[in-house]
Amino acid sequence: MPVRGRELLTPDERNELMRISPDMSEWELATYYTFSKHDIEIINRHRRSHNRLGFAVQLCTLRYPGLSLSDVKDIPETVLRYIAEQIDVDLEIYPLYAQRDPTRREHLEEIRQEYGYRNFSSREYRIFGKGKFQDLLSWGSLDLMLDKIV
């Protein structure tokens, strides 16, 4: 039976990386979640307000922290409010987003096509693993390494 290697992150550390902080400063909100004119045009292609908001949130989570919306458990109200104000919708409609199962996947694919994003595949993983990972480990500090990766 194969033995699993040592995990790089504890479950708590992994959960911390997979969440959006509810304590973001105004500077962080503006840095990570401000839309360009082009972004607004793409977001406004969606007819219903809840789909515009959901699409916008999904675009934001892909940019920071770099995860699909399905990987982020909770979106803090401060982040939702900041996003909703930019596209002039009520943040209270967010729970209506993606009631139809394929909606999130369709929006994710639309974002990929529009922005040229792609999944981190096993090929990229192998390329990363050959050189960069060893460099990161040589720094000696898990916190420093995670700051550089994320």
Side-chain angles (χ1 to χ4, degrees):
M1 182 167 164
V3 177
R4 189 172 174 178
R6 179 177 146 345
E7 292 289 330
L8 185 60
L9 301 174
T10 67
D12 288 341
E13 290 169 330
R14 186 173 290 108
N15 287 337
E16 184 64 25
L17 286 174
M18 304 284 286
R19 78 186 251 303
I20 297 172
S21 173
D23 304 323
M24 290 183 128
S25 68
E26 284 295 319
W27 182 88
E28 289 171 311
L29 287 169
T31 299
Y32 299 130
Y33 300 124
T34 298
F35 297 119
S36 69
K37 190 175 185 179
H38 177 71
D39 296 334
I40 299 290
E41 290 170 1
I42 293 165
I43 292 164
N44 284 335
R45 291 180 192 166
H46 300 275
R47 289 189 326 256
R48 295 186 177 109
S49 295
H50 60 275
N51 282 333
R52 284 196 304 278
L53 181 56
F55 184 92
V57 169
Q58 186 147 206
L59 177 59
C60 287
T61 63
L62 283 169
R63 289 179 173 167
Y64 182 83
L67 301 168
S68 72
L69 192 52
S70 61
D71 293 327
V72 178
K73 295 198 182 357
D74 296 308
I75 307 296
E77 186 176 323
T78 54
V79 173
L80 274 177
R81 179 174 289 108
Y82 188 82
I83 294 168
E85 286 173 356
Q86 290 180 80
I87 59 173
D88 198 29
V89 298
D90 181 358
L91 71 95
E92 300 298 324
I93 62 169
Y94 182 68
L96 298 175
Y97 179 60
Q99 288 183 340
R100 196 174 69 82
D101 190 43
T103 302
R104 283 186 186 192
R105 289 190 308 271
E106 290 168 358
H107 286 176
L108 180 59
E109 185 56 33
E110 183 180 346
I111 291 167
R112 283 185 185 136
Q113 295 295 319
E114 188 66 43
Y115 293 92
Y117 294 167
R118 63 178 203 242
N119 287 336
F120 188 74
S121 71
S122 58
R123 179 180 180 274
E124 285 88 5
Y125 179 78
R126 284 190 302 276
I127 291 169
F128 177 75
K130 284 184 180 174
K132 298 295 181 198
F133 189 67
Q134 292 305 319
D135 291 343
L136 293 171
L137 286 177
S138 71
W139 293 339
S141 165
L142 180 59
D143 290 336
L144 179 60
M145 180 176 71
L146 292 174
D147 286 343
K148 295 295 182 185
I149 292 173
V150 179

